[in-house]
Amino acid sequence: MAKILIVDDAAFMRMRCSKLLKENGHDVIEAENGLMAIEKYKAEKPDMVFMDVTMPEMDGITAVSEIRKLDSNAKIAMLSAMGQQSMVMDAIKAGARDFVVKPFQPEKVLSTIKKLIG
Amino acid sequence: MGIDLGITEEELKVFLDDAEEQLQMLDENLIKLEKDPENESILQIIFRAAHTLKGGAATLGLTKMTELTHLMENIFDVIRKGQLAVTSDIVDVVFECLDSLRALKEDVSNNTDSDVNIAELVIKLNDFYSRSKGQIVTRDKTQQGLSVHSGQKYRKDISECFLIDEAVKKTIDEAKQNNKETYFIYSNFVSECQMKAVRAFQLINEILGVGEVLLANPPIEDIYSEKVEDFVALLVASDNDKQTIEQTIKTVDELANLMVHDVDLEERSLETSKEKNARNNETNTSSKLGRTVRVSVEKFDSLMNLVGELVIDRTRIYQLGSKLTKKYEDDSLIADMLESSLRIGRVTGELQEEIMKARMLPIGNVFSKFPRMVRDTANKCGKKIHFVIEGQATELDRSVIEEISDPLIHILRNAIDHGIEDPQTRTNLGKAEDGFVRLSAFHEDNYIVIRVEDDGRGIDTEALKKKAIEKEIITKEKAEKMSEKEAINLIFAPGLTTAEKLSDVSGRGVGMDIVRNNIEKINGQIAIESQKGKGSIFNIKLPLTLAIIQALLINVDKRVFAIPLISVQETIQIRKVDIKTIKSHEAIILRGNVLPLLSLKNIFYPDLGKGYGSEKIYIVVVSTGDKQVGFVVDSLVGEQEIVIKNLNKYIGDVRGISGATILGDGKVALIIDVTSLINKIIADQMAEEY
């Protein structure tokens, strides 16, 4: 069981993702943009983060590098749509560890969690 | 085997054909390699054939086939690099692999799963491989390297990924001088991978933590602009060991066939671009020459059938034309019609010839599998054989080729097992230690002759006679009167075997009689010459095609019958008084020999009663093997090309009739099965002698 932060501006996405994670026994925190994500990360110290790429206020890539500044060990996986390959690469450069393509397959999300936090 | 990868029948067929080609190439060249183990071009051919096979198998998701060919490729890779010597046990194991591959291929083609077990072969191959590396390759590791994902292109060589020029070589050299190792890293992506570019990028990102990327294919800029196809290849310099690198990059998800390879400057795969271009040019020219289209046999069969129909109609139009000319001599339209019918005739003839030619295959297709068989058989029997093949380019109709393989295998096995003496005996006899066996094919008139000769002990006619008497095939009296030639032909008698002991090579007595039946089934003939102590020659005479044959048309009771010209020796006219009766059988003396007669009228129309209507009687002298018989017929019609139509489908097997044909006037003529009629005479005679 782990504490996981889901960052996405689309409520529907957060809902689906959090439902899946809760069903699998995880604690879920949500944030709807990069700025809020940084606040939540500071406050809650989650075990890992699922981060959308494009969001208002602060995008996912910036958020990744900001969070990494707070915690160089932060385990972040990007939630990305097809056609955002170069952005995902930027996120990885910024310190994201992995990614899941939306619409995601549940197994994929779970295996990513397993890989990042064991 | 349950393959469902959206592969069409057609594609599967092409793969299977390709696979067969590669397997044959492997067969041939392995034998050559055993004799000439250091020949680089042979090694190259074997390596490429294994590689090609692997590529196809991997694409279809055939894991076992992929694993075997992959390991074979490994073995030949180290052999060609001179890290492993070719030994007969390696060749044996690879031959076993080919057998398994054939079995796997059969499974694919029949959509069955005969559960071919390759585990033992995998262990053996790994063993050879580790022998070359001086290390033990654990099973685990190889399997990991072999995770095959369908729809993926299989691994590429370093030289296929990078252009290794002098500059790159220098870079590698420099890395080495700085105590860094150079690695070649290669990976495909699993089929469900949606962001290949990102995965490739992740791979590079991970590598950057442990080393330096010297080269990337696709180049890093391309990866960044999402131009990634189905693989990523990196040339990496690092002071970490291979294991660390492997551990590091394993964290990247959705990679397939990931491998890390030490790069050795001396490696042959690092050929310079010049060498590579030379090789490419070579393949280019060969692909230009091979402008072919694959056509299924069924299509050819139906084309041949249609041409057959045309041939019939051509003859018919001729006949109509000549009838019309007689009737309306002065009509100019008739002349026009005749002219155009001549043209149709000529074109039909050419069409027939072209299709026949297109159906022809070089007999080498069959011959090519024999060296392996000869080698295995010789090893099993403890014989040494010098096997020579000649005339592989001789072409035969496809259907004939398909039928001739089994009889030839049988004859060759007999030659090795029974014909050739063991090396010691041969030395004692003053013969060369290696027994000589030659398989050759050549044209003779309108036929193809396939000859198998050996310089072994020859056929022991005394032993044959003894056996035949024992088995009550002939009487003792008859045996004494038999000529040498007749005695040799006892070998074709059903249920006779000459070997003292049964061996698992030539099997039990189901031998030459079946061989002869098979050959005669395709309108061929087999004859044997043999000299005790000197050797034997088997001559197989075959028609060029099965569908259309030359025949002699004859009349019996006003009906037309066709006798295949291959069995006709001559036609003669005799007087009734010439007929003698020997033991209630009719015969004539032809040039000093007794020629038994068989009245076709009695055979086909027994109700009409015996006796000959006219004083002058026509005889068609026919033969099979060494047996000659005279068919008594009412009259001769002439020679003609006929198209064979099978009758079995409609009326089953009829003794003495092998099929039917349609004549120019639309009437059906039955084709006489000469062999079965001659056998009938022999059987009747034997029945009476007992």
Side-chain angles (χ1 to χ4, degrees), chain B residues 295 298-308 355:
Chain B
V295 179
E298 290 79 28
K299 277 190 191 141
F300 260 122
D301 284 346
S302 69
L303 267 181
M304 196 67 177
N305 240 322
L306 291 171
V307 171
I355 291 181

Side-chain angles (χ1 to χ4, degrees), chain B residues 248-270:
Chain B
T248 313
I249 57 181
K250 248 165 89 180
T251 55
V252 180
D253 215 346
E254 296 188 318
L255 297 180
N257 306 327
L258 177 65
M259 69 167 190
V260 179
H261 234 343
D262 288 327
V263 176
D264 189 343
L265 260 188
E266 262 64 64
E267 242 183 86
R268 280 199 45 169
S269 53
L270 290 182

Side-chain angles (χ1 to χ4, degrees), chain B residues 299-355:
Chain B
K299 277 190 191 141
F300 260 122
D301 284 346
S302 69
L303 267 181
M304 196 67 177
N305 240 322
L306 291 171
V307 171
E309 301 291 332
L310 269 181
V311 170
I312 291 165
D313 281 331
R314 171 190 67 183
T315 321
R316 185 149 189 200
I317 292 175
Y318 271 148
Q319 289 177 354
L320 276 174
S322 52
K323 273 185 195 162
L324 285 171
T325 325
K326 270 182 205 151
K327 209 167 173 185
Y328 309 101
E329 248 173 305
D330 42 1
D331 198 326
S332 64
L333 279 175
I334 302 285
D336 285 352
M337 197 209 107
L338 272 183
E339 200 192 308
S340 111
S341 98
L342 268 175
R343 280 255 308 280
I344 292 176
R346 207 171 50 233
V347 173
T348 314
E350 276 168 27
L351 187 60
Q352 181 191 333
E353 205 172 301
E354 283 304 314
I355 291 181

Side-chain angles (χ1 to χ4, degrees), chain B residues 364-381:
Chain B
N365 284 12
V366 174
F367 282 7
S368 63
K369 61 180 181 185
F370 293 147
R372 159 86 192 279
M373 187 216 81
V374 167
R375 169 190 180 272
D376 287 356
T377 312
N379 282 354
K380 236 182 236 170
C381 307

